[in-house]
């Protein structure tokens, strides 16, 4: 087992790599070594070819990555995966049955606490309070994770392709509403059918009674403080449960109603089109309820269009328009630093044409115009590559070029004079 300090240090050092792998773990439960090396190389700025392999070995040694049995693949440590997903809000929607089971466990812990208060058994009181505190933390964490998971489901459904059938776009939304939101609403019911609020209310009352009993018996302040803190957790959990249930319903209910209305409308349109195809438009509309004949239109009188008073006033003002004399302000001296970004582009193109061929256009610009800022230099590079006066060829090898503030990793362009046409070659005396 790796040292916790080593694991946390490697997680801090290679956070970008682990975060990317955790995001990809939604689709890939395990990773092959070439895939891991490709992800590591993406976040490695060094030119040393052996560094990605060294980073992979350090991740495996610290047990951030664990080997799969009978294969050469690696998976992310489950503890690290849960920790990273908790920080980045990358949660899967949990099961309402798990939440219901934890709420039932709250009832059992409350019964143990009440039994300890009645029998004046301090061990049962401490055990029940500690168990309640742990359950409250678990339920709070699950509610927060499920809220973010439902928001992500809604955003994914809204961002999907609009041409996709709505039943397919909103399939996860409908499943989440039927399997999670509705059972959660039943559990959050404050009436006799609910279990969340009655159990939490009983837990709060039992904790208050236990604190009062300890105060009468003259118990230690730390023991009463523990019960008071657990009671505050229960009250905050009641508020959080109500908010999360309302947010989940407000997020998924409009999408669910949209899918249902779309299904009803599609069914009605399909039925009507079937009647039109079989019996014709006139017979289909006559057989439809509430319609006897085809709609018809006729022109009863001609409509005259004339200008309104506002348009007439505007046109009169335009005819009598007199421009006002505006005095220009005095010329202001520009900042000396602004002159560094000024480039005589026609002269630059002439100089580049005389220097052809050029192996690396970006290096040529950097050597001849070192005073330019990085953004201006990259803009010129992008424009010169697209110039029709010469031919720019993309090289196969990737290079890195340090500029003033950034370092660029790119495939350079080789610029050369454009080849002459076939007609010009045929008229050349040398041929």
């Amino acid at each position: 087992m790796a040292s916790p300090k080593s694991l946390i240090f490697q997680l801090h050092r290679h956070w970008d790599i682990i975060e990317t792998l955790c995001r990809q773990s939604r689709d890939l439960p395990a990773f092959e070594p070439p895939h891991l090396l490709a992800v590591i190389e993406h976040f490695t700025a060094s030119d040393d070819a052996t560094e990605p392999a060294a980073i992979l070995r350090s991740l495996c040694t610290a047990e951030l990555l664990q080997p799969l049995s009978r294969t050469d693949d690696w998976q992310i440590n489950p503890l690290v995966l849960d920790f990273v997903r908790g920080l980045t809000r990358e949660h899967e929607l949990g099961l309402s049955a798990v939440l219901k089971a934890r709420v039932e466990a709250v009832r059992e812990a409350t019964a143990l606490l009440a039994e300890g208060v009645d029998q004046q058994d301090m061990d049962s009181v401490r055990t029940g309070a500690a168990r309640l505190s742990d359950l409250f933390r678990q339920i709070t964490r699950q509610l927060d994770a499920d809220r973010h998971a439902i928001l992500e489901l809604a955003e994914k459904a809204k961002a999907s392709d609009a041409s996709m059938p709505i039943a397919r776009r909103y399939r996860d939304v409908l499943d989440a509403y039927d399997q999670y939101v509705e059972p959660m609403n039943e559990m959050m019911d404050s009436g006799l059918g609910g279990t969340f609020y009655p159990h939490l209310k009983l837990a709060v009352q039992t904790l208050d009674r236990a604190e009062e009993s300890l105060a009468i018996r003259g118990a230690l302040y730390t023991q009463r403080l523990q019960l008071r803190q657990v009671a505050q957790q229960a009250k905050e959990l009641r508020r959080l449960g109500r908010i999360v249930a309302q947010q989940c319903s407000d997020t998924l209910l409009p999408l669910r109603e949209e899918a249902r209305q779309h299904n009803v409308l599609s069914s009605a349109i399909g039925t009507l089109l079937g009647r039109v195809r079989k019996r014709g438009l006139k017979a289909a509309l006559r057989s439809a309820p509430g319609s006897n004949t085809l709609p018809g239109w006729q022109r009863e009188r001609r409509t005259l269009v004339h200008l309104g008073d506002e348009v007439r006033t505007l046109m009169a003002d335009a005819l009598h328009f007199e421009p006002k004399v505006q005095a220009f302000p005095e010329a202001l001296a520009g900042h000396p630093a602004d002159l560094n970004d000024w480039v005589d582009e026609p002269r630059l193109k002439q100089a580049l044409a005389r220097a052809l061929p050029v192996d690396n256009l970006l290096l040529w610009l950097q050597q001849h115009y070192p005073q330019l800022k990085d953004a201006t230099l990259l803009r010129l590079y992008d424009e010169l590559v697209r110039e029709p006066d010469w031919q720019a060829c993309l090289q196969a090898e990737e290079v890195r070029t340090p500029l003033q503030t950034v370092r660029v990793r790119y495939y350079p362009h080789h610029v050369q004079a454009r080849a002459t046409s076939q007609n010009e070659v045929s008229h050349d005396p040398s041929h």
Side-chain angles (χ1 to χ4, degrees):
M1 180 177 179
S3 172
K5 291 184 179 180
S6 175
L7 188 145
I8 295 174
F9 175 74
Q10 294 296 334
L11 182 61
H12 163 70
R13 187 177 179 184
H14 306 294
W15 171 260
D16 295 334
I17 298 173
I18 296 300
E19 184 182 4
T20 303
L21 293 176
C22 289
R23 193 179 302 113
Q24 295 178 0
S25 64
R26 288 179 173 269
D27 302 324
L28 299 174
F31 305 98
E32 298 179 350
H35 181 82
L36 294 172
L37 291 175
V39 174
I40 294 173
E41 289 176 358
H42 181 72
F43 293 99
T44 304
S46 176
D47 296 333
D48 188 3
T50 61
E51 185 175 356
I55 294 176
L56 179 58
R57 285 195 300 270
S58 65
L59 294 178
C60 297
T61 304
E63 292 192 4
L64 289 171
L65 297 176
Q66 295 179 342
L68 284 180
S69 60
R70 302 180 182 180
T71 63
D72 295 334
D73 300 340
W74 296 82
Q75 67 176 357
I76 303 176
N77 191 330
L79 297 177
V80 176
L81 185 62
D82 293 340
F83 177 70
V84 175
R85 285 182 175 178
L87 294 179
T88 57
R89 305 295 188 183
E90 294 286 342
H91 291 287
E92 297 287 347
L93 183 61
L95 299 176
S96 60
V98 176
L99 185 61
K100 185 176 182 180
R102 287 174 175 168
V103 173
E104 290 294 332
V106 169
R107 180 182 61 81
E108 297 176 0
T110 304
L112 178 62
L113 178 63
E115 182 180 357
V117 173
D118 295 336
Q119 298 180 1
Q120 298 183 0
D121 186 1
M122 288 303 303
D123 291 336
S124 298
V125 172
R126 283 193 298 267
T127 303
R131 191 177 300 176
L132 283 175
S133 179
D134 188 35
L135 289 172
F136 292 159
R137 280 195 297 268
Q138 293 177 7
I139 295 173
T140 301
R141 185 169 61 250
Q142 182 177 353
L143 287 176
D144 186 66
D146 293 344
R147 173 175 57 181
H148 287 282
I150 285 179
L151 292 176
E152 185 176 354
L153 283 177
E155 292 174 359
K156 186 183 298 184
K158 293 177 183 178
S160 300
D161 187 6
S163 61
M164 187 185 302
I166 196 167
R168 183 180 175 185
R169 287 178 61 193
Y170 291 166
R171 179 175 55 192
D172 295 338
V173 172
L174 297 176
D175 293 343
Y177 193 90
D178 295 336
Q179 300 176 9
Y180 182 85
V181 176
E182 284 189 349
M184 186 177 178
N185 289 335
E186 295 176 359
M187 185 172 55
M188 294 291 178
D189 187 8
S190 59
L192 298 177
T195 57
F196 189 82
Y197 289 112
H199 290 351
L200 289 181
K201 182 179 180 181
L202 180 60
V204 172
Q205 293 175 354
T206 306
L207 288 167
D208 292 340
R209 185 162 63 88
E211 182 185 357
E212 182 180 357
S213 176
L214 292 181
I216 294 174
R217 293 169 53 191
L220 296 177
Y221 173 75
T222 55
Q223 297 175 350
R224 289 182 290 158
L225 180 62
Q226 178 189 9
L227 297 176
R228 191 179 304 121
Q229 292 173 347
V230 177
Q232 293 296 331
Q233 284 182 316
K235 295 175 182 177
E236 177 64 20
L237 183 57
R238 292 175 61 186
R239 185 190 67 85
L240 180 63
R242 181 172 61 254
I243 293 176
V244 170
Q246 185 66 32
Q247 288 181 351
C248 293
S249 299
D250 294 343
T251 302
L252 296 186
L253 186 59
L255 301 180
R256 180 171 177 263
E257 293 301 323
E258 180 181 352
R260 286 188 172 183
Q261 292 177 4
H262 187 274
N263 291 337
V264 174
L265 181 61
S266 300
S267 177
I269 292 175
T271 303
L272 182 59
L273 290 178
R275 292 177 180 175
V276 171
R277 185 177 65 253
K278 294 178 181 179
R279 305 173 58 185
L281 179 62
K282 185 175 181 179
L285 292 180
R286 183 182 297 114
S287 61
S291 60
N292 298 324
T293 58
L294 288 174
W297 296 269
Q298 62 180 1
R299 177 178 295 178
E300 297 180 355
R301 61 177 182 177
R302 295 183 178 274
T303 302
L304 300 179
V305 180
H306 59 88
L307 294 177
D309 296 337
E310 296 82 0
V311 179
R312 294 178 183 273
T313 303
L314 182 61
M315 295 177 63
D317 293 341
L319 289 175
H320 299 87
F321 173 74
E322 294 182 0
K324 296 181 180 180
V325 179
Q326 182 69 32
F328 285 93
E330 297 292 336
L332 300 177
H335 195 275
D338 298 338
L339 299 178
N340 295 334
D341 288 339
W342 182 84
V343 182
D344 189 354
E345 296 189 11
R347 187 173 181 180
L348 184 148
K349 294 178 182 178
Q350 294 175 3
L352 179 58
R354 290 193 300 267
L356 294 179
V358 175
D359 292 335
N360 191 329
L361 179 58
L362 185 60
L363 289 179
W364 186 88
L365 289 173
Q366 188 182 24
Q367 293 173 1
H368 290 76
Y369 298 91
Q371 76 280 3
L372 295 179
K373 295 182 179 179
D374 295 346
T376 306
L377 195 69
L378 293 176
R379 178 184 63 80
L380 290 174
Y381 177 79
D382 185 67
E383 293 178 355
L384 292 175
V385 165
R386 290 174 170 78
E387 279 292 329
D389 298 338
W390 44 72
Q391 184 176 2
C393 300
L394 191 64
Q395 302 298 318
E397 296 183 359
E398 182 182 3
V399 297
R400 292 181 174 88
T401 301
L403 302 180
Q404 294 181 3
T405 58
V406 299
R407 182 170 64 178
V408 184
R409 185 171 66 180
Y410 64 103
Y411 293 91
H413 283 82
H414 172 78
V415 181
Q416 61 184 5
R418 187 173 293 279
T420 57
S421 62
Q422 187 66 26
N423 296 331
E424 292 175 353
V425 173
S426 60
H427 288 81
D428 192 352
S430 62
H431 295 276

